[in-house]
Amino acid sequence: MESLQTPYRAVVIGATGGLGTAFIHHLEQDPDCGHVIGLHRHSDPPLDLLDEGSIQHAAARLLEQAPEWDLILDATGILTIDGHGPEKRLRELEPEIMAHAFAINAIGPALLFKHLAPLLPRTRKGIFATLSARVGSIADNHLGGWLSYRASKAALNQIVRTTALELRFSHRQAVIVALQPGTCATRLSEPYRKRAPEVLAPETATDALLQVLDGLDASNSGTFFDFEGQRLPF
Ligand SMILES: NC(=O)c1ccc[n+]([C@@H]2O[C@H](COP(=O)([O-])OP(=O)(O)OC[C@H]3O[C@@H](n4cnc5c(N)ncnc54)[C@H](OP(=O)(O)O)[C@@H]3O)[C@@H](O)[C@H]2O)c1
């Protein structure tokens, strides 16, 4: 990452996932990255999106290590919930499943912003990016279906926008963005990607996303980009 201070400090949340693992791999290979930490439900410290205390504790542990973190990547998310795949029709909607999708895909990331965004640098570029999904775009929804996943990612997009607006004075060079990684060969997409026109290796998608993030500045904060650097509509 050439646009961050050298050496830069990075943290990846969801470091056990397909995309989280690939992000860590790239950052470990980057000579400009001085330190990268992967957080997940079984890391030290553990971080569970359903437990705000664990997020608060992880943020405190990061602060003990360094006052500022240049790159924060949220690679968490869920699609299949307790064996329930995405709904094809309204009649399949189950409130508990939908609530769980919101808890993991929207409220969890909002809590990450709450506790970790204060760790972003105040006087130089810092990035806090979260993995959303194109299907979370309301403007781009021409197919319907996948109600809980779509709606939870749409909520996430709004959370990104709102966080970026709040931070624009306290962290003037912060880049807070939602990302669409493309359809990638991971556990999450495995049952649903047969008809995808293109399936990316996680290494390819995350390499492309890091390059996109390197090219963004504060004027892009609060927006939504795909792995090819195209801005997507909310
Ligand atoms: N793969 C795709 O094609 C694709 C396309 C568009 C968008 N995305 C988005 O990209 C992100 C990453 O997806 P992926 O494909 O890498 O999926 P994945 O391999 O299933 O990884 C999901 C990650 O989320 C973590 N997670 C789930 N519940 C959690 C909780 N309660 N607390 C903490 N972490 C939790 C998982 O941790 P555990 O290992 O502990 O379960 C795992 O690290 C998701 O937001 C997804 O919506 C993916």
Side-chain angles (χ1 to χ4, degrees):
M1 300 287 281
E2 292 174 2
S3 63
L4 300 175
Q5 78 158 10
T6 309
Y8 66 87
R9 278 183 290 274
V11 54
V12 178
I13 303 117
T16 50
L19 294 171
T21 303
F23 273 129
I24 297 259
H25 179 74
H26 286 304
L27 295 170
E28 284 176 347
Q29 304 292 316
D30 182 355
D32 291 338
C33 182
H35 191 37
V36 56
I37 286 195
L39 295 175
H40 52 85
R41 286 189 270 198
H42 306 290
S43 55
D44 178 21
L47 187 151
D48 187 336
L49 295 176
L50 300 176
D51 174 6
E52 182 178 6
S54 76
I55 300 173
Q56 190 170 14
H57 177 65
R61 288 279 296 274
L62 291 173
L63 185 62
E64 277 168 25
Q65 289 192 35
E68 294 183 327
W69 291 74
D70 304 280
L71 176 62
I72 304 174
L73 297 173
D74 167 28
T76 63
I78 202 162
L79 177 54
T80 305
I81 298 171
D82 292 338
H84 294 258
E87 312 91 350
K88 294 196 180 71
R89 297 183 185 78
L90 269 174
R91 66 169 181 260
E92 295 169 18
L93 192 65
E94 295 193 31
E96 297 79 14
I97 300 294
M98 190 176 200
H100 195 78
F102 271 78
I104 300 293
N105 292 337
I107 299 169
L111 294 172
L112 295 178
F113 283 128
K114 175 181 173 184
H115 293 290
L116 301 183
L119 298 174
L120 287 169
R122 287 183 174 263
T123 55
R124 60 175 193 276
K125 179 176 174 179
I127 300 169
F128 197 148
T130 187
L131 292 181
S132 182
R134 182 187 295 272
V135 296
S137 167
I138 294 172
D140 190 59
N141 184 359
H142 305 292
L143 281 175
W146 292 38
L147 185 54
S148 296
Y149 185 69
R150 277 187 193 278
S152 62
K153 292 293 192 180
L156 173 61
N157 291 346
Q158 181 68 278
I159 288 161
V160 165
R161 179 77 171 183
T162 303
T163 300
L165 288 168
E166 179 171 332
L167 290 184
R168 70 193 188 283
F169 299 120
S170 59
H171 297 75
R172 289 178 180 275
Q173 296 183 57
V175 179
I176 315 288
V177 282
L179 298 174
Q180 147 69 356
T183 302
C184 300
T186 68
R187 182 175 37 145
L188 177 141
S189 69
E190 204 277 327
Y192 314 109
R193 57 178 184 249
K194 288 178 200 75
R195 282 194 228 137
E198 184 185 20
V199 179
L200 301 173
E203 296 287 329
T204 307
T206 50
D207 183 42
L209 289 170
L210 288 170
Q211 287 182 45
V212 170
L213 291 173
D214 218 6
L216 302 182
D217 63 27
S219 67
N220 306 115
S221 197
T223 60
F224 187 16
F225 282 90
D226 74 6
F227 64 99
E228 293 179 309
Q230 297 295 317
R231 185 168 164 186
L232 301 178
F234 278 139

Tab-separated table of all heavy atoms in Angstrom, residues 121-157:
chain	number	residue	atom	x	y	z
A	121	PRO	N	-5.831	7.037	11.995
A	121	PRO	CA	-4.988	8.232	12.147
A	121	PRO	C	-5.810	9.517	11.966
A	121	PRO	O	-6.716	9.563	11.146
A	121	PRO	CB	-3.967	8.085	11.008
A	121	PRO	CG	-4.015	6.666	10.589
A	121	PRO	CD	-5.385	6.168	10.891
A	122	ARG	N	-5.445	10.523	12.746
A	122	ARG	CA	-6.177	11.800	12.661
A	122	ARG	C	-5.571	12.764	11.657
A	122	ARG	O	-6.261	13.656	11.153
A	122	ARG	CB	-6.220	12.471	14.037
A	122	ARG	CG	-7.179	11.751	14.964
A	122	ARG	CD	-7.298	12.436	16.309
A	122	ARG	NE	-8.338	11.774	17.086
A	122	ARG	CZ	-9.601	12.203	17.167
A	122	ARG	NH1	-9.987	13.293	16.543
A	122	ARG	NH2	-10.475	11.542	17.889
A	123	THR	N	-4.274	12.610	11.389
A	123	THR	CA	-3.626	13.639	10.556
A	123	THR	C	-2.981	13.065	9.294
A	123	THR	O	-2.175	13.719	8.656
A	123	THR	CB	-2.547	14.383	11.372
A	123	THR	OG1	-1.628	13.416	11.896
A	123	THR	CG2	-3.172	15.172	12.507
A	124	ARG	N	-3.266	11.815	8.968
A	124	ARG	CA	-2.783	11.246	7.708
A	124	ARG	C	-3.836	10.245	7.231
A	124	ARG	O	-4.794	9.951	7.956
A	124	ARG	CB	-1.423	10.560	7.891
A	124	ARG	CG	-1.427	9.423	8.882
A	124	ARG	CD	-0.084	8.689	8.954
A	124	ARG	NE	-0.241	7.445	9.685
A	124	ARG	CZ	-0.190	7.341	11.016
A	124	ARG	NH1	0.055	8.418	11.752
A	124	ARG	NH2	-0.382	6.183	11.601
A	125	LYS	N	-3.638	9.741	6.014
A	125	LYS	CA	-4.622	8.813	5.460
A	125	LYS	C	-4.757	7.547	6.313
A	125	LYS	O	-3.751	6.972	6.753
A	125	LYS	CB	-4.223	8.414	4.031
A	125	LYS	CG	-5.199	7.428	3.384
A	125	LYS	CD	-4.838	7.113	1.929
A	125	LYS	CE	-5.736	6.013	1.374
A	125	LYS	NZ	-5.434	5.686	-0.043
A	126	GLY	N	-5.980	7.162	6.522
A	126	GLY	CA	-6.290	5.881	7.146
A	126	GLY	C	-7.487	5.296	6.412
A	126	GLY	O	-8.308	6.041	5.862
A	127	ILE	N	-7.568	3.979	6.388
A	127	ILE	CA	-8.650	3.314	5.649
A	127	ILE	C	-9.399	2.376	6.589
A	127	ILE	O	-8.783	1.594	7.327
A	127	ILE	CB	-8.080	2.463	4.484
A	127	ILE	CG1	-7.294	3.333	3.496
A	127	ILE	CG2	-9.201	1.710	3.769
A	127	ILE	CD1	-6.487	2.517	2.475
A	128	PHE	N	-10.719	2.461	6.543
A	128	PHE	CA	-11.573	1.470	7.219
A	128	PHE	C	-12.563	0.995	6.162
A	128	PHE	O	-13.481	1.735	5.793
A	128	PHE	CB	-12.278	2.091	8.408
A	128	PHE	CG	-12.862	1.093	9.402
A	128	PHE	CD1	-12.921	1.422	10.749
A	128	PHE	CD2	-13.334	-0.152	9.010
A	128	PHE	CE1	-13.445	0.528	11.685
A	128	PHE	CE2	-13.850	-1.052	9.923
A	128	PHE	CZ	-13.910	-0.712	11.262
A	129	ALA	N	-12.329	-0.216	5.662
A	129	ALA	CA	-13.184	-0.744	4.597
A	129	ALA	C	-13.923	-1.972	5.091
A	129	ALA	O	-13.379	-2.787	5.845
A	129	ALA	CB	-12.334	-1.108	3.381
A	130	THR	N	-15.163	-2.103	4.664
A	130	THR	CA	-15.965	-3.258	5.047
A	130	THR	C	-16.477	-3.940	3.794
A	130	THR	O	-16.806	-3.275	2.802
A	130	THR	CB	-17.118	-2.820	5.976
A	130	THR	OG1	-17.795	-3.975	6.457
A	130	THR	CG2	-18.119	-1.920	5.287
A	131	LEU	N	-16.508	-5.274	3.839
A	131	LEU	CA	-16.983	-6.011	2.673
A	131	LEU	C	-18.506	-6.034	2.675
A	131	LEU	O	-19.131	-6.642	3.542
A	131	LEU	CB	-16.411	-7.427	2.655
A	131	LEU	CG	-14.903	-7.486	2.412
A	131	LEU	CD1	-14.414	-8.932	2.391
A	131	LEU	CD2	-14.515	-6.792	1.121
A	132	SER	N	-19.061	-5.331	1.695
A	132	SER	CA	-20.506	-5.340	1.491
A	132	SER	C	-20.791	-6.326	0.364
A	132	SER	O	-20.098	-7.344	0.243
A	132	SER	CB	-20.963	-3.911	1.163
A	132	SER	OG	-22.350	-3.868	1.014
A	133	ALA	N	-21.763	-6.045	-0.476
A	133	ALA	CA	-22.059	-6.903	-1.623
A	133	ALA	C	-22.895	-6.081	-2.599
A	133	ALA	O	-23.724	-5.264	-2.177
A	133	ALA	CB	-22.825	-8.145	-1.188
A	134	ARG	N	-22.672	-6.325	-3.880
A	134	ARG	CA	-23.433	-5.580	-4.905
A	134	ARG	C	-24.929	-5.729	-4.688
A	134	ARG	O	-25.691	-4.788	-4.921
A	134	ARG	CB	-23.045	-6.086	-6.299
A	134	ARG	CG	-23.731	-5.344	-7.430
A	134	ARG	CD	-23.444	-5.992	-8.771
A	134	ARG	NE	-22.042	-5.898	-9.118
A	134	ARG	CZ	-21.501	-4.862	-9.768
A	134	ARG	NH1	-22.261	-3.849	-10.147
A	134	ARG	NH2	-20.216	-4.839	-10.038
A	135	VAL	N	-25.361	-6.905	-4.241
A	135	VAL	CA	-26.803	-7.107	-4.062
A	135	VAL	C	-27.369	-6.218	-2.947
A	135	VAL	O	-28.584	-6.099	-2.811
A	135	VAL	CB	-27.166	-8.587	-3.787
A	135	VAL	CG1	-26.810	-9.461	-4.972
A	135	VAL	CG2	-26.533	-9.088	-2.511
A	136	GLY	N	-26.511	-5.573	-2.178
A	136	GLY	CA	-26.978	-4.612	-1.185
A	136	GLY	C	-27.339	-3.264	-1.790
A	136	GLY	O	-27.922	-2.410	-1.114
A	137	SER	N	-27.005	-3.075	-3.050
A	137	SER	CA	-27.347	-1.810	-3.709
A	137	SER	C	-28.836	-1.792	-4.034
A	137	SER	O	-29.332	-2.679	-4.748
A	137	SER	CB	-26.529	-1.657	-4.999
A	137	SER	OG	-27.073	-0.612	-5.780
A	138	ILE	N	-29.534	-0.803	-3.543
A	138	ILE	CA	-30.974	-0.673	-3.849
A	138	ILE	C	-31.146	-0.274	-5.313
A	138	ILE	O	-31.965	-0.835	-6.043
A	138	ILE	CB	-31.623	0.352	-2.899
A	138	ILE	CG1	-31.586	-0.188	-1.460
A	138	ILE	CG2	-33.059	0.651	-3.324
A	138	ILE	CD1	-32.025	0.804	-0.394
A	139	ALA	N	-30.315	0.668	-5.770
A	139	ALA	CA	-30.444	1.142	-7.149
A	139	ALA	C	-30.164	0.033	-8.161
A	139	ALA	O	-30.702	0.042	-9.267
A	139	ALA	CB	-29.487	2.316	-7.373
A	140	ASP	N	-29.331	-0.928	-7.783
A	140	ASP	CA	-28.901	-1.983	-8.715
A	140	ASP	C	-29.775	-3.235	-8.607
A	140	ASP	O	-29.497	-4.244	-9.244
A	140	ASP	CB	-27.430	-2.332	-8.405
A	140	ASP	CG	-26.803	-3.230	-9.453
A	140	ASP	OD1	-26.778	-2.810	-10.627
A	140	ASP	OD2	-26.366	-4.343	-9.116
A	141	ASN	N	-30.825	-3.182	-7.795
A	141	ASN	CA	-31.641	-4.383	-7.569
A	141	ASN	C	-32.724	-4.499	-8.643
A	141	ASN	O	-33.769	-3.857	-8.557
A	141	ASN	CB	-32.274	-4.316	-6.171
A	141	ASN	CG	-33.049	-5.589	-5.839
A	141	ASN	OD1	-33.140	-6.510	-6.642
A	141	ASN	ND2	-33.617	-5.619	-4.648
A	142	HIS	N	-32.454	-5.337	-9.632
A	142	HIS	CA	-33.422	-5.551	-10.712
A	142	HIS	C	-33.953	-6.977	-10.719
A	142	HIS	O	-34.733	-7.342	-11.586
A	142	HIS	CB	-32.772	-5.243	-12.072
A	142	HIS	CG	-32.186	-3.869	-12.139
A	142	HIS	ND1	-32.950	-2.719	-12.134
A	142	HIS	CD2	-30.886	-3.457	-12.162
A	142	HIS	CE1	-32.150	-1.661	-12.169
A	142	HIS	NE2	-30.899	-2.074	-12.186
A	143	LEU	N	-33.503	-7.792	-9.759
A	143	LEU	CA	-33.877	-9.207	-9.759
A	143	LEU	C	-34.778	-9.603	-8.602
A	143	LEU	O	-35.562	-10.541	-8.720
A	143	LEU	CB	-32.614	-10.081	-9.663
A	143	LEU	CG	-31.800	-10.286	-10.927
A	143	LEU	CD1	-30.534	-11.062	-10.592
A	143	LEU	CD2	-32.627	-11.029	-11.976
A	144	GLY	N	-34.659	-8.916	-7.464
A	144	GLY	CA	-35.389	-9.324	-6.263
A	144	GLY	C	-34.747	-10.547	-5.623
A	144	GLY	O	-33.667	-10.996	-6.028
A	145	GLY	N	-35.434	-11.108	-4.612
A	145	GLY	CA	-34.898	-12.274	-3.897
A	145	GLY	C	-33.802	-11.886	-2.920
A	145	GLY	O	-33.408	-10.723	-2.823
A	146	TRP	N	-33.354	-12.867	-2.121
A	146	TRP	CA	-32.257	-12.686	-1.173
A	146	TRP	C	-32.550	-11.524	-0.207
A	146	TRP	O	-31.691	-10.712	0.113
A	146	TRP	CB	-30.926	-12.446	-1.893
A	146	TRP	CG	-30.405	-13.635	-2.648
A	146	TRP	CD1	-31.145	-14.536	-3.362
A	146	TRP	CD2	-29.033	-14.063	-2.762
A	146	TRP	NE1	-30.312	-15.497	-3.914
A	146	TRP	CE2	-29.018	-15.240	-3.573
A	146	TRP	CE3	-27.834	-13.569	-2.263
A	146	TRP	CZ2	-27.840	-15.911	-3.874
A	146	TRP	CZ3	-26.653	-14.251	-2.587
A	146	TRP	CH2	-26.657	-15.406	-3.381
A	147	LEU	N	-33.774	-11.482	0.264
A	147	LEU	CA	-34.245	-10.307	1.006
A	147	LEU	C	-33.389	-9.979	2.228
A	147	LEU	O	-32.958	-8.833	2.408
A	147	LEU	CB	-35.707	-10.534	1.423
A	147	LEU	CG	-36.428	-9.391	2.110
A	147	LEU	CD1	-36.369	-8.110	1.302
A	147	LEU	CD2	-37.886	-9.768	2.328
A	148	SER	N	-33.131	-10.996	3.077
A	148	SER	CA	-32.403	-10.689	4.318
A	148	SER	C	-30.975	-10.250	4.039
A	148	SER	O	-30.477	-9.283	4.637
A	148	SER	CB	-32.390	-11.925	5.229
A	148	SER	OG	-33.700	-12.239	5.616
A	149	TYR	N	-30.299	-10.946	3.126
A	149	TYR	CA	-28.908	-10.593	2.813
A	149	TYR	C	-28.857	-9.215	2.163
A	149	TYR	O	-28.079	-8.344	2.556
A	149	TYR	CB	-28.324	-11.662	1.889
A	149	TYR	CG	-26.851	-11.522	1.566
A	149	TYR	CD1	-25.878	-11.731	2.536
A	149	TYR	CD2	-26.426	-11.219	0.270
A	149	TYR	CE1	-24.518	-11.642	2.227
A	149	TYR	CE2	-25.070	-11.130	-0.051
A	149	TYR	CZ	-24.120	-11.337	0.930
A	149	TYR	OH	-22.772	-11.248	0.621
A	150	ARG	N	-29.715	-8.996	1.159
A	150	ARG	CA	-29.736	-7.689	0.486
A	150	ARG	C	-29.993	-6.556	1.486
A	150	ARG	O	-29.298	-5.539	1.474
A	150	ARG	CB	-30.898	-7.637	-0.518
A	150	ARG	CG	-30.636	-8.240	-1.845
A	150	ARG	CD	-31.845	-7.923	-2.746
A	150	ARG	NE	-31.828	-8.711	-3.956
A	150	ARG	CZ	-31.121	-8.424	-5.045
A	150	ARG	NH1	-30.362	-7.348	-5.068
A	150	ARG	NH2	-31.182	-9.195	-6.105
A	151	ALA	N	-31.036	-6.749	2.307
A	151	ALA	CA	-31.437	-5.666	3.208
A	151	ALA	C	-30.368	-5.405	4.261
A	151	ALA	O	-30.109	-4.249	4.632
A	151	ALA	CB	-32.775	-6.010	3.872
A	152	SER	N	-29.706	-6.481	4.734
A	152	SER	CA	-28.661	-6.275	5.748
A	152	SER	C	-27.452	-5.579	5.137
A	152	SER	O	-26.815	-4.747	5.787
A	152	SER	CB	-28.270	-7.606	6.397
A	152	SER	OG	-27.724	-8.511	5.463
A	153	LYS	N	-27.138	-5.876	3.880
A	153	LYS	CA	-26.017	-5.197	3.223
A	153	LYS	C	-26.401	-3.755	2.849
A	153	LYS	O	-25.549	-2.861	2.883
A	153	LYS	CB	-25.566	-5.968	1.982
A	153	LYS	CG	-24.913	-7.317	2.301
A	153	LYS	CD	-23.574	-7.156	3.026
A	153	LYS	CE	-22.788	-8.463	3.091
A	153	LYS	NZ	-21.505	-8.324	3.784
A	154	ALA	N	-27.664	-3.520	2.516
A	154	ALA	CA	-28.113	-2.140	2.270
A	154	ALA	C	-27.981	-1.330	3.559
A	154	ALA	O	-27.553	-0.165	3.540
A	154	ALA	CB	-29.556	-2.126	1.774
A	155	ALA	N	-28.338	-1.953	4.685
A	155	ALA	CA	-28.168	-1.279	5.977
A	155	ALA	C	-26.685	-1.002	6.227
A	155	ALA	O	-26.313	0.081	6.697
A	155	ALA	CB	-28.754	-2.142	7.095
A	156	LEU	N	-25.835	-1.980	5.907
A	156	LEU	CA	-24.392	-1.777	6.074
A	156	LEU	C	-23.919	-0.582	5.240
A	156	LEU	O	-23.127	0.251	5.718
A	156	LEU	CB	-23.634	-3.049	5.659
A	156	LEU	CG	-22.111	-2.945	5.618
A	156	LEU	CD1	-21.541	-2.613	7.000
A	156	LEU	CD2	-21.498	-4.248	5.091
A	157	ASN	N	-24.417	-0.493	4.006
A	157	ASN	CA	-24.001	0.626	3.161
A	157	ASN	C	-24.387	1.968	3.801
A	157	ASN	O	-23.615	2.934	3.764
A	157	ASN	CB	-24.615	0.485	1.768
A	157	ASN	CG	-24.022	-0.685	0.995
A	157	ASN	OD1	-22.995	-1.228	1.380
A	157	ASN	ND2	-24.671	-1.075	-0.099
